[in-house]
Amino acid sequence: MIADAYEKRSIMYTSNLEFSRWGTVFGDEQMAAAIIDRTVHHGRMLRFKGGSYRVAHATMK
């Protein structure tokens, strides 16, 4: 879990959602806020701009 790894191990996750929408993923705004807090405390965020390779090469359109 994220709380167990906090300040002990590395965690990497990806999302195409901005932080303000993470509550919908975790089902709870307070839980999302706690995860975001731990993420940005020691974390590094990488933002990639541009089109999605997977969308551009999807077989189903």
Side-chain angles (χ1 to χ4, degrees):
M1 296 299 226
I2 294 171
D4 295 333
Y6 180 58
E7 295 190 329
K8 296 177 188 144
R9 292 183 293 249
S10 297
I11 297 177
M12 184 167 104
Y13 35 82
T14 63
S15 175
N16 60 348
L17 299 175
E18 60 269 359
F19 285 150
S20 65
R21 295 180 52 203
W22 278 27
T24 61
V25 174
F26 295 103
D28 183 336
E29 294 293 328
Q30 290 182 324
M31 179 65 70
I35 291 169
I36 292 165
D37 183 59
R38 285 167 176 77
T39 300
V40 300
H41 182 226
H42 291 300
R44 291 186 172 81
M45 293 176 34
L46 302 174
R47 174 180 262 168
F48 298 97
K49 296 183 180 183
S52 167
Y53 177 88
R54 288 177 290 169
V55 171
H57 294 89
T59 56
M60 296 175 60
K61 291 190 178 195

